Amino acid sequence: MESTLLKRYGGRILNKKLLVELIDDIKSFKENKKIEPVDLTEENVMKVIDGLTNKDDKPLSQKSIDIYKRRVKNLNLIQILKDLIKNKDNKDEVNKILKEIEAQKTKTLKKDFSKHRSLEDFVLLNQMINSIPNMFENLNDYVIDRINKFIQELIKLRTNAKDDKTSYDELRIDWTDFKKKTKELTDDPDVPLKIKILFNLYKTFTLRDNFGAVELTDKDLDNDINFYNVKTREFHLNKYKGTAMAKHGKKVYRIPKYIADMIMKEYNDDSKYLIGKNKTETYPQGSLVKFIFQASKKYYGVRFGINDMRQSIISFYHNNKDIKKRKQLAEIMLNSYEEQLKSYKREELEK
């Protein structure tokens, strides 16, 4: 049929009548095309997940694969796919199925449910439709279009919710108070050295979650790992958030001497990492998120995280510094001045 269409219309100028004929022929071709059945057994779907790749076309980590499999089971996705195939020509049923997906989050998010919370479920649905062999072909244009419409609507809702949150959320900690308390911790002989190093690093270079998988060394290492050279006092950030790295590239930060002296003590005490779980291990996946929440509550008396520190310093700069200083801060923090304006406008907690 395809060769017939090419032979019939190849090289000819399409007028309105010819275009109508072409569309009719394509519809006929699609209707008459033999559609292979899709294997929606759990075994096959799990096998498909095992073969998924990331945006760089590399295999997913085992942790990511396990998360995918758990989400497929929690969402009862296999049954949803079967129902969509069975009811694809019934628009009311299709919309009912999709509405049920949208409402499923109420089972786990009863207190603060918003429709946009179901976006990840629709993204997963769409991904599996495009990954499971013959799944896409067993649906029709209406089903695919409705799923895409749901995704577009949920993205808008999520964006609006994020804008509202960043505009009106209260700061968990004031930047001036943070600096003062960090100075007190640094002077306190009873506070662990690791805590002093951690919060002084964030006071000086308020990066993202970038200090947890950093090797301590007395020489420069390969460009594909993050390391701190105790001799040069340079922190080499070679791997971090993909979109930011594409814009800013690999970075080198010169660490102030008073922080470098504390790090040197850790290095001389045989610590392998800048901020490790112990002397030889990082925290899981090198992430300090949970540790910072725990440490801030213990040593500052208020629970805050990495984003709270970033929001705090940006709010301080936008209230007290000129545009040149604000742009310099954005470069240090590896985001854009425009992003800071949009994402970090906050109100401070009432004293």
mmCIF file of all heavy atoms in Angstrom, residues 253-275:
data_model
loop_
_atom_site.group_PDB
_atom_site.id
_atom_site.type_symbol
_atom_site.label_atom_id
_atom_site.label_comp_id
_atom_site.label_asym_id
_atom_site.label_seq_id
_atom_site.Cartn_x
_atom_site.Cartn_y
_atom_site.Cartn_z
ATOM 1 N N TYR A 253 36.610 25.969 42.329
ATOM 2 C CA TYR A 253 36.385 26.942 43.386
ATOM 3 C C TYR A 253 37.580 26.959 44.339
ATOM 4 O O TYR A 253 38.018 25.910 44.821
ATOM 5 C CB TYR A 253 35.123 26.599 44.181
ATOM 6 C CG TYR A 253 33.847 26.679 43.382
ATOM 7 C CD1 TYR A 253 33.359 25.561 42.701
ATOM 8 C CD2 TYR A 253 33.120 27.859 43.313
ATOM 9 C CE1 TYR A 253 32.186 25.634 41.968
ATOM 10 C CE2 TYR A 253 31.938 27.944 42.588
ATOM 11 C CZ TYR A 253 31.479 26.828 41.917
ATOM 12 O OH TYR A 253 30.322 26.899 41.189
ATOM 13 N N ARG A 254 38.092 28.137 44.602
ATOM 14 C CA ARG A 254 39.193 28.316 45.541
ATOM 15 C C ARG A 254 38.621 28.425 46.947
ATOM 16 O O ARG A 254 37.844 29.345 47.247
ATOM 17 C CB ARG A 254 39.977 29.572 45.181
ATOM 18 C CG ARG A 254 41.101 29.915 46.144
ATOM 19 C CD ARG A 254 42.367 29.194 45.776
ATOM 20 N NE ARG A 254 43.509 29.776 46.497
ATOM 21 C CZ ARG A 254 44.706 29.247 46.508
ATOM 22 N NH1 ARG A 254 44.945 28.137 45.821
ATOM 23 N NH2 ARG A 254 45.684 29.823 47.158
ATOM 24 N N ILE A 255 38.984 27.500 47.820
ATOM 25 C CA ILE A 255 38.413 27.436 49.162
ATOM 26 C C ILE A 255 39.168 28.373 50.105
ATOM 27 O O ILE A 255 40.412 28.374 50.129
ATOM 28 C CB ILE A 255 38.479 25.993 49.706
ATOM 29 C CG1 ILE A 255 37.735 25.031 48.780
ATOM 30 C CG2 ILE A 255 37.910 25.917 51.118
ATOM 31 C CD1 ILE A 255 36.266 25.305 48.606
ATOM 32 N N PRO A 256 38.460 29.179 50.895
ATOM 33 C CA PRO A 256 39.119 30.065 51.864
ATOM 34 C C PRO A 256 40.017 29.274 52.824
ATOM 35 O O PRO A 256 39.717 28.125 53.160
ATOM 36 C CB PRO A 256 37.948 30.706 52.606
ATOM 37 C CG PRO A 256 36.811 30.643 51.651
ATOM 38 C CD PRO A 256 36.990 29.365 50.890
ATOM 39 N N LYS A 257 41.074 29.920 53.274
ATOM 40 C CA LYS A 257 42.086 29.225 54.069
ATOM 41 C C LYS A 257 41.524 28.630 55.356
ATOM 42 O O LYS A 257 41.883 27.511 55.747
ATOM 43 C CB LYS A 257 43.240 30.169 54.398
ATOM 44 C CG LYS A 257 44.427 29.460 55.063
ATOM 45 C CD LYS A 257 45.587 30.396 55.279
ATOM 46 C CE LYS A 257 46.796 29.643 55.846
ATOM 47 N NZ LYS A 257 46.500 28.907 57.080
ATOM 48 N N TYR A 258 40.621 29.351 56.042
ATOM 49 C CA TYR A 258 40.129 28.823 57.311
ATOM 50 C C TYR A 258 39.324 27.534 57.116
ATOM 51 O O TYR A 258 39.351 26.634 57.974
ATOM 52 C CB TYR A 258 39.328 29.893 58.066
ATOM 53 C CG TYR A 258 37.886 30.048 57.628
ATOM 54 C CD1 TYR A 258 36.846 29.421 58.321
ATOM 55 C CD2 TYR A 258 37.553 30.833 56.524
ATOM 56 C CE1 TYR A 258 35.523 29.573 57.935
ATOM 57 C CE2 TYR A 258 36.234 30.992 56.133
ATOM 58 C CZ TYR A 258 35.233 30.361 56.833
ATOM 59 O OH TYR A 258 33.921 30.502 56.445
ATOM 60 N N ILE A 259 38.600 27.426 55.981
ATOM 61 C CA ILE A 259 37.896 26.175 55.681
ATOM 62 C C ILE A 259 38.901 25.112 55.239
ATOM 63 O O ILE A 259 38.803 23.943 55.628
ATOM 64 C CB ILE A 259 36.829 26.387 54.592
ATOM 65 C CG1 ILE A 259 35.815 27.453 55.003
ATOM 66 C CG2 ILE A 259 36.093 25.064 54.299
ATOM 67 C CD1 ILE A 259 34.763 27.749 53.951
ATOM 68 N N ALA A 260 39.879 25.520 54.432
ATOM 69 C CA ALA A 260 40.910 24.580 53.962
ATOM 70 C C ALA A 260 41.675 23.974 55.127
ATOM 71 O O ALA A 260 42.033 22.791 55.097
ATOM 72 C CB ALA A 260 41.870 25.298 53.010
ATOM 73 N N ASP A 261 41.907 24.758 56.164
ATOM 74 C CA ASP A 261 42.621 24.233 57.338
ATOM 75 C C ASP A 261 41.805 23.148 58.026
ATOM 76 O O ASP A 261 42.358 22.128 58.482
ATOM 77 C CB ASP A 261 42.918 25.368 58.320
ATOM 78 C CG ASP A 261 43.991 26.324 57.812
ATOM 79 O OD1 ASP A 261 44.723 25.945 56.874
ATOM 80 O OD2 ASP A 261 44.078 27.454 58.347
ATOM 81 N N MET A 262 40.500 23.347 58.095
ATOM 82 C CA MET A 262 39.646 22.320 58.703
ATOM 83 C C MET A 262 39.624 21.058 57.844
ATOM 84 O O MET A 262 39.664 19.935 58.364
ATOM 85 C CB MET A 262 38.234 22.872 58.893
ATOM 86 C CG MET A 262 38.124 23.972 59.946
ATOM 87 S SD MET A 262 36.415 24.433 60.348
ATOM 88 C CE MET A 262 35.926 25.327 58.879
ATOM 89 N N ILE A 263 39.553 21.245 56.529
ATOM 90 C CA ILE A 263 39.556 20.089 55.618
ATOM 91 C C ILE A 263 40.863 19.323 55.721
ATOM 92 O O ILE A 263 40.889 18.086 55.692
ATOM 93 C CB ILE A 263 39.305 20.547 54.162
ATOM 94 C CG1 ILE A 263 37.926 21.204 54.032
ATOM 95 C CG2 ILE A 263 39.416 19.368 53.202
ATOM 96 C CD1 ILE A 263 37.661 21.824 52.664
ATOM 97 N N MET A 264 41.974 20.058 55.849
ATOM 98 C CA MET A 264 43.280 19.407 55.966
ATOM 99 C C MET A 264 43.344 18.514 57.202
ATOM 100 O O MET A 264 43.937 17.428 57.174
ATOM 101 C CB MET A 264 44.381 20.467 56.021
ATOM 102 C CG MET A 264 45.792 19.883 56.119
ATOM 103 S SD MET A 264 46.247 18.868 54.668
ATOM 104 C CE MET A 264 46.731 20.181 53.519
ATOM 105 N N LYS A 265 42.719 18.929 58.292
ATOM 106 C CA LYS A 265 42.684 18.093 59.497
ATOM 107 C C LYS A 265 41.959 16.779 59.210
ATOM 108 O O LYS A 265 42.395 15.711 59.648
ATOM 109 C CB LYS A 265 41.995 18.848 60.633
ATOM 110 C CG LYS A 265 42.792 20.014 61.183
ATOM 111 C CD LYS A 265 42.033 20.710 62.310
ATOM 112 C CE LYS A 265 42.811 21.905 62.848
ATOM 113 N NZ LYS A 265 42.074 22.617 63.922
ATOM 114 N N GLU A 266 40.847 16.869 58.474
ATOM 115 C CA GLU A 266 40.104 15.662 58.100
ATOM 116 C C GLU A 266 40.949 14.770 57.185
ATOM 117 O O GLU A 266 40.962 13.544 57.331
ATOM 118 C CB GLU A 266 38.795 16.039 57.399
ATOM 119 C CG GLU A 266 37.752 16.661 58.303
ATOM 120 C CD GLU A 266 37.041 15.620 59.150
ATOM 121 O OE1 GLU A 266 37.599 15.290 60.228
ATOM 122 O OE2 GLU A 266 35.967 15.141 58.757
ATOM 123 N N TYR A 267 41.636 15.404 56.241
ATOM 124 C CA TYR A 267 42.487 14.660 55.311
ATOM 125 C C TYR A 267 43.626 13.951 56.060
ATOM 126 O O TYR A 267 43.913 12.777 55.799
ATOM 127 C CB TYR A 267 43.055 15.610 54.269
ATOM 128 C CG TYR A 267 43.989 14.961 53.267
ATOM 129 C CD1 TYR A 267 43.506 14.113 52.279
ATOM 130 C CD2 TYR A 267 45.362 15.197 53.325
ATOM 131 C CE1 TYR A 267 44.360 13.510 51.360
ATOM 132 C CE2 TYR A 267 46.234 14.602 52.416
ATOM 133 C CZ TYR A 267 45.721 13.753 51.435
ATOM 134 O OH TYR A 267 46.580 13.168 50.528
ATOM 135 N N ASN A 268 44.238 14.639 56.989
ATOM 136 C CA ASN A 268 45.334 14.046 57.774
ATOM 137 C C ASN A 268 44.840 12.959 58.713
ATOM 138 O O ASN A 268 45.626 12.128 59.187
ATOM 139 C CB ASN A 268 46.055 15.131 58.575
ATOM 140 C CG ASN A 268 46.875 16.058 57.681
ATOM 141 O OD1 ASN A 268 47.282 15.674 56.583
ATOM 142 N ND2 ASN A 268 47.117 17.282 58.152
ATOM 143 N N ASP A 269 43.520 12.979 58.967
ATOM 144 C CA ASP A 269 42.920 11.941 59.807
ATOM 145 C C ASP A 269 42.391 10.792 58.955
ATOM 146 O O ASP A 269 41.541 10.005 59.386
ATOM 147 C CB ASP A 269 41.788 12.548 60.638
ATOM 148 C CG ASP A 269 41.392 11.668 61.811
ATOM 149 O OD1 ASP A 269 42.257 10.940 62.332
ATOM 150 O OD2 ASP A 269 40.201 11.697 62.195
ATOM 151 N N ASP A 270 42.860 10.742 57.702
ATOM 152 C CA ASP A 270 42.563 9.644 56.753
ATOM 153 C C ASP A 270 41.131 9.643 56.222
ATOM 154 O O ASP A 270 40.621 8.596 55.801
ATOM 155 C CB ASP A 270 42.873 8.273 57.381
ATOM 156 C CG ASP A 270 44.346 8.098 57.702
ATOM 157 O OD1 ASP A 270 45.179 8.624 56.933
ATOM 158 O OD2 ASP A 270 44.663 7.449 58.719
ATOM 159 N N SER A 271 40.465 10.803 56.216
ATOM 160 C CA SER A 271 39.151 10.880 55.579
ATOM 161 C C SER A 271 39.319 10.861 54.062
ATOM 162 O O SER A 271 40.151 11.589 53.520
ATOM 163 C CB SER A 271 38.426 12.164 55.997
ATOM 164 O OG SER A 271 38.066 12.105 57.364
ATOM 165 N N LYS A 272 38.538 10.032 53.392
ATOM 166 C CA LYS A 272 38.646 9.889 51.943
ATOM 167 C C LYS A 272 37.799 10.907 51.199
ATOM 168 O O LYS A 272 38.107 11.276 50.064
ATOM 169 C CB LYS A 272 38.233 8.473 51.535
ATOM 170 C CG LYS A 272 38.403 8.175 50.049
ATOM 171 C CD LYS A 272 38.025 6.735 49.719
ATOM 172 C CE LYS A 272 38.169 6.477 48.222
ATOM 173 N NZ LYS A 272 37.782 5.086 47.870
ATOM 174 N N TYR A 273 36.706 11.373 51.839
ATOM 175 C CA TYR A 273 35.772 12.268 51.160
ATOM 176 C C TYR A 273 35.610 13.586 51.922
ATOM 177 O O TYR A 273 35.818 13.649 53.138
ATOM 178 C CB TYR A 273 34.409 11.596 50.998
ATOM 179 C CG TYR A 273 34.455 10.377 50.107
ATOM 180 C CD1 TYR A 273 34.518 9.101 50.655
ATOM 181 C CD2 TYR A 273 34.469 10.509 48.722
ATOM 182 C CE1 TYR A 273 34.588 7.975 49.829
ATOM 183 C CE2 TYR A 273 34.538 9.405 47.898
ATOM 184 C CZ TYR A 273 34.598 8.136 48.458
ATOM 185 O OH TYR A 273 34.674 7.036 47.641
ATOM 186 N N LEU A 274 35.238 14.610 51.197
ATOM 187 C CA LEU A 274 35.060 15.935 51.772
ATOM 188 C C LEU A 274 34.020 15.914 52.885
ATOM 189 O O LEU A 274 34.262 16.375 54.001
ATOM 190 C CB LEU A 274 34.657 16.925 50.661
ATOM 191 C CG LEU A 274 34.442 18.378 51.068
ATOM 192 C CD1 LEU A 274 35.717 18.958 51.657
ATOM 193 C CD2 LEU A 274 33.988 19.207 49.864
ATOM 194 N N ILE A 275 32.832 15.404 52.585
ATOM 195 C CA ILE A 275 31.778 15.211 53.589
ATOM 196 C C ILE A 275 31.263 13.787 53.430
ATOM 197 O O ILE A 275 30.411 13.513 52.584
ATOM 198 C CB ILE A 275 30.610 16.207 53.414
ATOM 199 C CG1 ILE A 275 31.102 17.645 53.407
ATOM 200 C CG2 ILE A 275 29.570 15.980 54.521
ATOM 201 C CD1 ILE A 275 31.644 18.135 54.734
#
